Amino acid sequence: MSDPARSDPDAVREQYRDASNLDARFQLHERFSTNRYGWHPWVFDQLDLTPGRRVLEVGAGPGYLWQKNRARLPASCELVLSDLSLGMVGEARRILNADHRFRFAVADAQRLPFENSTFDAVIANHMLYHVPDRESALAEIRRVLRPGGRLYAATVGRNHLRELSALVTRFAPDWVSWAAAEGDPEAFVLENGADQVGRWFPRVELRRYEDELVVTEAGPLVAYVLSGSARSALDDERTRALAEYVSHEIARRGALRVTKDSGLFVAWQDAER
Ligand SMILES: C[S@@+](CC[C@H](N)C(=O)[O-])C[C@H]1O[C@@H](n2cnc3c(N)ncnc32)[C@H](O)[C@@H]1O
């Protein structure tokens, strides 16, 4: 789930003030992804969550990963769901608070308020690309992991949603597309993430999740577009034109197909420090 305003701190704060923008994007993926297994169950499959594990999620948002997988979580695991946004943490707490395994924290991944070697695993699901000082975040994640602990860091590839980006550019030519942001060598994408994570962790592995969007309704696709920074480049007239075009194309072709490219870096901390 990407947004063009990648690592501009003000834009990121505004974008994630609460869960509404993220929900619009989540809905499109939920309804129109061809891989019916689902991203969140797949991410859970990759985690080594045996009983007693202590887990930190940074940039956890409203806790989608746990809303989807709570029933599979061993009873004795302890999880801290953290996010920079008070609104996101409030939403995660509202949904998961009754479950004694979860605690919640407002925290910036660049300055984690936890002791050294506290966690067996840290999860950073589609969030490191928003962090301006990623080196600090990776150093902090490494610091709070115990020796032998693991980082799970998900991100997107440079081709992720490329058709959607082209579509928006057609109606808002002055919009700086996220494809441009992903072309930035400083971005955190599947193509360069292993190098970045590898500076802090001795072993890194990339696992890809195969998927695609086949969208058969204009409304959720337009809502997705308006949930991100393209909103400021689309006035009412442009939005109407975009919606009409999408409806017309869906009627003509049966569906709009959109490339997805997401994956997970699994990184191992040294067994001894
Ligand atoms: C794309 S959302 C992903 C949410 C969740 N991990 C998921 O996959 O559903 C990115 C999240 O990262 C958070 N975030 C952005 N910068 C952050 C930072 N420096 N430290 C902690 N969280 C941050 C945002 O508030 C937002 O909730």
Side-chain angles (χ1 to χ4, degrees):
M1 283 179 233
S2 62
D3 185 80
R6 279 288 149 83
S7 61
D8 167 357
D10 291 339
V12 168
R13 275 184 195 275
E14 183 54 34
Q15 167 66 213
Y16 297 115
R17 186 176 295 280
D18 59 38
S20 56
N21 289 320
L22 198 57
D23 273 342
R25 300 207 280 283
F26 183 65
Q27 289 308 323
L28 188 82
H29 289 285
E30 278 282 286
R31 293 193 51 203
F32 300 107
S33 292
T34 53
N35 186 336
R36 298 316 299 164
Y37 190 70
W39 167 256
H40 291 106
W42 180 82
V43 170
F44 189 88
D45 289 349
Q46 313 309 310
L47 308 175
D48 179 31
L49 288 190
T50 47
R53 290 278 200 241
R54 303 188 74 191
V55 181
L56 170 68
E57 184 172 4
V58 291
Y64 292 143
L65 183 59
W66 310 106
Q67 293 179 36
K68 291 278 176 189
N69 291 299
R70 196 164 18 155
R72 302 171 66 196
L73 192 60
S76 57
C77 283
E78 288 174 31
L79 294 99
V80 178
L81 306 193
S82 70
D83 199 284
L84 188 60
S85 156
L86 185 62
M88 289 293 190
V89 173
E91 184 66 3
R93 182 181 273 126
R94 188 181 68 75
I95 296 167
L96 296 164
N97 202 24
D99 189 323
H100 69 275
R101 293 167 295 188
F102 293 95
R103 286 187 294 126
F104 307 89
V106 176
D108 186 338
Q110 297 160 116
R111 285 177 295 278
L112 291 172
F114 306 106
E115 301 286 315
N116 294 355
S117 306
T118 304
F119 298 101
D120 299 294
V122 175
I123 301 165
N125 185 6
H126 287 125
M127 67 76 66
L128 280 174
Y129 46 60
H130 288 313
V131 178
D133 184 354
R134 207 170 299 120
E135 291 289 296
S136 288
L138 288 166
E140 280 290 87
I141 289 169
R142 196 178 107 110
R143 179 182 68 73
V144 302
L145 273 173
R146 67 158 174 79
R150 293 182 195 181
L151 163 65
Y152 301 91
T155 190
V156 296
R158 293 193 196 279
N159 282 326
H160 186 64
L161 307 185
R162 64 165 187 252
E163 298 83 358
L164 206 50
S165 179
L167 181 70
V168 177
T169 308
R170 186 183 168 127
F171 291 90
D174 39 342
W175 174 63
V176 180
S177 81
W178 58 76
E182 282 155 16
D184 174 356
E186 299 301 314
F188 181 73
V189 284
L190 294 178
E191 289 81 355
N192 66 8
D195 289 344
Q196 297 184 43
V197 174
R199 288 201 282 273
W200 296 95
F201 291 84
R203 184 176 153 212
V204 185
E205 185 181 301
L206 171 59
R207 301 177 188 169
R208 281 192 130 90
Y209 180 74
E210 296 300 324
D211 205 359
E212 187 188 17
L213 287 172
V214 177
V215 183
T216 52
E217 282 176 42
L221 192 137
V222 174
Y224 185 108
V225 167
L226 295 178
S227 76
S229 69
R231 179 168 43 204
S232 58
L234 289 163
D235 58 16
D236 287 353
E237 198 179 322
R238 286 174 167 186
T239 304
R240 233 182 343 265
L242 169 75
E244 275 169 23
Y245 177 82
V246 172
S247 298
H248 181 263
E249 285 302 293
I250 289 174
R252 192 173 70 85
R253 295 195 247 158
L256 280 186
R257 303 184 87 89
V258 181
T259 303
K260 284 177 71 165
D261 191 14
S262 285
L264 185 71
F265 293 107
V266 183
W268 284 259
Q269 166 75 288
D270 288 314
E272 289 181 13
R273 273 197 272 174

